[in-house]
């Protein structure tokens, strides 16, 4: 007796989600060029399952980052509702954005690889994350909590530049520099 379609779809979605979670973790540890077998092992599936869901590495990389970009985007309005002030919401969102950026080692090289499957990833980041940040900055401006003239794109680009880690500059260093940047954006009380 075969499983109902709904059960098979739910299982397929769980498998896909498991692969995305495993790929995300492996990408953090090894970069986006990590062996597919490492991702499959971590997800508890066969390599064929990975390729059935994501025929190319670019498909997998894009799916992982799309999921993470969507989560970061969805965080902005939730933080505005939950936080004591818009600037607190902005700070917490920037913390999540920094975490997103510093765990993406290898992505810069992948984006510059000329792989046509990855071309839309940068545009996706701009099209979704910049408006999320703008919503937070607009709320901060309305509450008179940030200096005038700060745009979401400029702030995010500055944060992105501060999050380029290397042998002598790590995640903690990036966090401290972004914290200093935000302090400079805050309107004096």
């Amino acid at each position: 007796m075969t499983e109902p379609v709904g059960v098979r779809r739910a299982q397929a979605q769980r498998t896909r989600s498991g692969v995305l979670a495993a790929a995300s973790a492996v990408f953090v540890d090894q970069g986006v060029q990590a062996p597919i077998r490492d991702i499959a092992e971590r997800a508890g599936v066969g390599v064929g399952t990975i390729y059935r869901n994501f025929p190319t590495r670019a498909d997998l990389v894009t799916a992982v980052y799309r999921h993470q970009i969507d989560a970061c985007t969805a965080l902005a309005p939730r933080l505005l509702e939950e936080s004591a002030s818009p600037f607190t919401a902005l700070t917490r969102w920037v913390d999540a954005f920094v975490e997103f950026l510093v765990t993406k080692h290898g992505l810069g090289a992948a984006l510059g690889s000329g792989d046509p499957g990855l071309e839309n990833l940068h545009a996706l980041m701009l099209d979704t994350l910049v408006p999320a940040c703008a919503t937070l900055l607009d709320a901060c401006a309305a509450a008179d909590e940030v200096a005038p003239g700060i745009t979401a794109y400029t702030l995010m680009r500055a944060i992105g530049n501060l999050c380029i880690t290397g042998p002598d500059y790590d995640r903690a260093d990036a966090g401290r520099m972004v914290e200093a940047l935000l302090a400079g954006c805050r309107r004096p009380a």
Side-chain angles (χ1 to χ4, degrees), residues 45-59:
V45 300
V47 171
T49 299
I50 305 265
Y51 285 114
R52 189 169 40 257
N53 283 278
F54 308 100
T56 68
R57 179 176 297 276
D59 293 333

Side-chain angles (χ1 to χ4, degrees), residues 55-130:
T56 68
R57 179 176 297 276
D59 293 333
L60 179 59
V61 169
T62 300
V64 167
Y65 295 116
R66 177 180 299 272
H67 177 72
Q68 293 174 335
I69 288 167
D70 289 346
C72 196
T73 300
L75 185 61
R78 193 173 83 233
L79 289 174
L80 273 175
E81 286 180 23
E82 297 172 356
S83 298
S85 73
F87 194 81
T88 300
L90 175 65
T91 301
R92 291 177 60 203
W93 187 84
V94 165
D95 289 345
F97 180 57
V98 167
E99 186 65 20
F100 169 79
L101 291 174
V102 298
T103 60
K104 304 303 171 255
H105 73 85
L107 183 57
L111 288 174
S113 70
D115 186 330
L118 296 173
E119 288 175 354
N120 66 342
L121 202 50
H122 184 68
L124 174 67
M125 289 175 66
L126 292 177
D127 292 347
T128 57
L129 292 175
V130 171

Side-chain angles (χ1 to χ4, degrees), residues 2-22:
T2 62
E3 295 176 325
V5 172
V7 172
R8 285 194 307 261
R9 271 196 197 123
Q11 178 58 39
Q13 185 55 45
R14 281 192 298 276
T15 299
R16 183 179 170 84
S17 295
V19 167
L20 289 175

